Amino acid sequence: MFLNKNNTFIHNDNGDNMYMSLIIKTSFLYFFIFLVYRIMGKKELGELSIIDFIVTILIAEIAAICIENAKRSIFTSIVPILVLVILEILFSYICLKSEKIRNFIDGKPSVVIKNGKVNFSVMTKLRYSLDDLLSQLREKGIKNIEEIDYAVLENSGNLSVFRTKDYPFPIILDGKIDYDTLKEIGKDKNWINNLLKENNIELENIFYAFYTKNKTYIIKKEDVI
């Protein structure tokens, strides 16, 4: 609505329609993107992998472009968002089936403190400084590195700290041996083979096995709900 030369009000349908279109678009995209993330199963930003983060940025950008351009059809945003969701689900499935691809995309947790000693070579590769380490330790109420036995930098960037020698070393995950972990605990494939014979179980039937306090714990796939 605006004033003409005679100071009388004239109704502006185009302006009202534009605002109504923005309200409808914004509301629809809000609930649509909420549904998209429920489908992808993501709960918080700290759980996002690199691919998830890229998808998040692109979805936000596509939604912003659609909202800013009042004449742009909302379907020009829905289609690319759905394509991104399909690609994300496809990559998640591939990562679930392939350990190599999963490690390439998400990386692996890294031991930055072992037996109370800082592993500077690993920290250098990760570009993780001593200040970063000390800062995260202070957040956990730890003042001295010697207070802890193991510290692991997770894929999410969070630091997991174990004060006593109860760190669970994952040696088998979904029927596959983690040879890096075996090296950490001073074991080899022959030790794994003897372990399998003692428990009368095949490697491919193991869902998860970990080593802690000189003991090995095995979870079979048939025991997982």
Side-chain angles (χ1 to χ4, degrees):
M1 189 174 290
F2 61 91
L3 285 170
N4 63 9
K5 293 181 180 179
N6 298 322
N7 292 328
T8 58
F9 286 101
I10 297 178
H11 191 71
N12 186 358
D13 290 330
N14 290 334
D16 291 343
N17 290 337
M18 181 185 70
Y19 289 121
M20 183 58 66
S21 175
L22 285 175
I23 292 172
I24 294 173
K25 279 185 177 181
T26 304
S27 300
F28 178 83
L29 286 172
Y30 173 84
F31 289 105
F32 178 69
I33 294 174
F34 171 79
L35 178 62
V36 160
Y37 276 91
R38 292 296 295 172
I39 292 173
M40 290 194 297
K42 308 305 174 187
K43 296 180 180 179
E44 57 185 67
L45 289 177
E47 298 177 358
L48 300 183
S49 66
I50 294 175
I51 291 179
D52 299 329
F53 183 71
I54 293 173
V55 169
T56 298
I57 295 298
L58 289 176
I59 288 177
E61 187 66 24
I62 292 170
I65 292 173
C66 179
I67 293 172
E68 289 174 359
N69 192 340
K71 296 182 180 180
R72 186 183 181 95
S73 172
I74 196 169
F75 290 101
T76 60
S77 294
I78 293 176
V79 172
I81 288 176
L82 288 176
V83 171
L84 289 172
V85 172
I86 293 172
L87 288 174
E88 196 279 339
I89 293 174
L90 179 62
F91 270 108
S92 296
Y93 179 79
I94 293 174
C95 289
L96 183 65
K97 295 298 181 180
S98 174
E99 182 182 7
K100 290 183 179 179
I101 295 177
R102 181 171 63 250
N103 291 337
F104 175 76
I105 293 176
D106 294 335
K108 295 182 66 176
S110 302
V111 179
V112 293
I113 297 178
K114 181 180 178 181
N115 297 324
K117 296 181 180 179
V118 179
N119 194 335
F120 286 104
S121 61
V122 171
M123 290 175 60
T124 300
K125 291 179 182 179
L126 298 173
R127 294 187 294 279
Y128 183 70
S129 69
L130 183 60
D131 288 338
D132 294 331
L133 175 62
L134 295 176
S135 175
Q136 289 191 288
L137 289 177
R138 285 194 297 271
E139 290 176 358
K140 297 179 180 297
I142 299 174
K143 300 178 181 179
N144 194 334
I145 292 178
E146 295 178 355
E147 294 181 30
I148 61 180
D149 190 45
Y150 278 90
V152 180
L153 187 64
E154 307 291 353
N155 296 336
S156 63
N158 294 325
L159 188 70
S160 298
V161 176
F162 301 86
R163 293 176 182 264
T164 58
K165 297 182 182 295
D166 59 355
Y167 174 60
F169 290 93
I171 55 176
I172 299 175
L173 181 61
D174 198 18
K176 296 179 181 179
I177 301 171
D178 190 327
Y179 290 99
D180 291 335
T181 300
L182 282 184
K183 186 177 179 180
E184 285 282 338
I185 62 177
K187 306 294 183 181
D188 56 20
K189 190 174 181 179
N190 290 330
W191 179 79
I192 289 287
N193 290 333
N194 292 331
L195 181 68
L196 296 175
K197 289 180 180 178
E198 290 175 4
N199 290 274
N200 193 26
I201 185 174
E202 297 293 330
L203 179 63
E204 56 269 19
N205 293 330
I206 297 179
F207 176 73
Y208 181 59
F210 62 94
Y211 182 84
T212 182
K213 295 182 180 179
N214 297 320
K215 292 183 179 180
T216 305
Y217 298 86
I218 298 175
I219 300 175
K220 301 178 184 178
K221 289 184 178 180
E222 61 189 42
D223 296 331
V224 179
I225 298 176

